[in-house]
Amino acid sequence: MESHIQIKHLNVQYGNSPALRDVNLEIPRNQITVIMGPSGCGKTTLLKSLNRFLELEETTKIQGKVIVDGQNIYGKDIDVTEVRKTIGLLAQRPYPLPMSIYDNVAHGLRLHHLKKGRKEIDDAVQHYLEHAGLWDEVKNRLHDPATSLSIGQQQRLCLARGLAVEPEIILGDEPTSALDPISSQHIEKKLMELKSDYTIVIVTHILRQAKRLADYVVFMYLGEVVEAGPAQQIFENPKKDRTKGYLAGQF
Amino acid sequence: MSMKKRWQRRHVTEAFFKGIMFLSIALVVFSLGYILWTILRKGLPAMSWAMITQTPKGGYYLGKEGGILNAIVGSLYMALGGTLIAVVFGLPIALYLETYLKNSRWGYYVRLSLDVLWGIPSIVYGAFGFTLMLAIGLRSSLLGGIIVLALLELPIMVRAIDEVIRQMPKDLQEAALAIGSTKLEVALHVVIRQMMPGIVSAILLAFGRGIGDAASVLFTAGYTDRIPTSLMNPAASLPLAIFFQLSTPFKEVQNRAYAAALVLTIIVLIVSFGSRWLSSRLSKYSIK
């Protein structure tokens, strides 16, 4: 297993209450890592430490290192916009930008000067919409407002928007929790396809979804990592009692 | 158990407060209606094509020929100019407040200053502006009026835009940050687009305050029967036209004041509906 992200001695506090305690983890490249645990255990905090979203809240204190491809993303000479470009986020509820379907995808391309000229941008927009499995549904109404799409379509649009800035890692914060079962299936299927090109980290509280998606599992409880390992090992042969209890539905 | 309504104290209380609320609303609607009725009743008979197409001729203030085109044009110049300047300075201030200062101590001080400025009577702006103009040797002029109106409108506009931008969904800002936007890019590409309808209303609020204000332009723009052809000419304004005509002893001239008020009201209505229409078109892409 080749690791893509290494987390070393990560401690996070919101004001005075600790949210993560001494987290040490290696997240494998080109696999789906699922972070599980009961609510309030720090899953989302851990996820948002990976794209430096924690610092949006001014009272947050962060210590430790998150190393991606040999660079500590919390290092002094790191550009936070590059971090977030490299590490995309699929949020809990889809939030398209207040512009057309086309511009939602093109916006990131223009922002980072990834494509130039009408033709190149047109092609890239089509490419990423196809990649997210949305192209056929929107190709005749690319200039409609993004809000004219259903919630499930919006989430795929957000996926296309994220892919367009050429990330290496995709984070998902319960990315199907606002969606209906069919749309959820769509997203899950896409994530399975995408893992050959991207490293994917997902937070979920749905055990069955975790079992369907996970190659690697991180189980958390009260701000600490209880157990982490390949999915098969964690689901079939957990070593810690807390993990066993959680899998058995005790909390 | 009977579910029949019994007149308990809580029901009486509800009926009482509902009554008070209804009365308050009725009072507001009635006042507005009465104002409009008065303006229409007294102003409409005095209204004529000449009123809005001619400047005052000799003897106009005694009831003879002429109109108030000088005041209409002067007011539009000053309010549009003042609003434009206030937007140029106000929008960046509001975005800076919301994007970088947020609820910090400095943000608090800036908002407090703006609120105090909002509360300052406009005659003080007029006197302040006039003192400044004397110091730099500027005479009562269109330019002076525009600058003072910009100062008068600025705090209103900034605070109103500030309150609008505060309603910006945090998740939407995060969505833009997540693809690697800087905070400035989020403000310019996403916040302004999303909040455009509210921003337009805020600008309109400031415009309304500017075009309706008499005291601030009294010294700074002066008053003249001519249409200004340069920024350095003095300029008339509708609120002052109303004031001067109402204070004459002649009935016809007083009624012309109401006609001027009618013109002012119509201008504000046109701008109001125009901006509603504009903002509904601009909100096509807004995320609900």
Side-chain angles (χ1 to χ4, degrees), chain A residues 48 51 53 56-58 80-82 84-85 87-89 93 95-101 103-104 107-108 111-112 143-147 161-162 165, chain B residues 99-104 168-183 185-186 189-191 193-195 283-288:
Chain A
K48 291 194 169 177
N51 72 340
F53 255 31
L56 296 179
E57 208 60 60
E58 278 144 34
V80 65
T81 61
E82 285 300 315
R84 292 181 189 149
K85 176 182 170 298
I87 305 168
L89 173 72
R93 244 207 75 188
Y95 261 99
L97 300 175
M99 36 188 97
S100 68
I101 296 167
D103 282 331
N104 258 276
H107 186 65
L111 218 55
H112 297 286
H143 296 284
D144 284 3
T147 42
R161 176 182 72 196
V165 297
Chain B
T99 308
Y100 300 101
L101 292 182
K102 292 187 201 157
N103 293 324
S104 66
M168 176 80 189
K170 204 166 144 254
D171 293 341
L172 184 51
Q173 267 168 316
E174 290 190 358
L177 287 170
I179 53 169
S181 310
T182 62
K183 286 181 181 177
E185 285 160 348
V186 176
H189 302 309
V190 180
V191 176
R193 262 177 223 245
Q194 171 72 10
M195 291 305 172
S283 69
K284 187 177 155 200
Y285 294 106
S286 292
I287 309 299
K288 270 101 200 167

Side-chain angles (χ1 to χ4, degrees), chain A residues 51-114:
Chain A
N51 72 340
R52 289 190 52 178
F53 255 31
L54 292 180
E55 65 208 51
L56 296 179
E57 208 60 60
E58 278 144 34
T59 54
T60 313
K61 288 178 217 132
I62 307 154
Q63 288 173 325
K65 289 181 180 172
V66 174
I67 297 167
V68 176
D69 287 327
Q71 296 181 83
N72 177 16
I73 63 168
Y74 286 97
K76 275 195 182 123
D77 53 348
I78 295 292
D79 177 356
V80 65
T81 61
E82 285 300 315
V83 170
R84 292 181 189 149
K85 176 182 170 298
T86 312
I87 305 168
L89 173 72
L90 204 52
Q92 220 172 74
R93 244 207 75 188
Y95 261 99
L97 300 175
M99 36 188 97
S100 68
I101 296 167
Y102 178 95
D103 282 331
N104 258 276
V105 183
H107 186 65
L109 299 170
R110 296 191 191 113
L111 218 55
H112 297 286
H113 306 290
L114 294 171

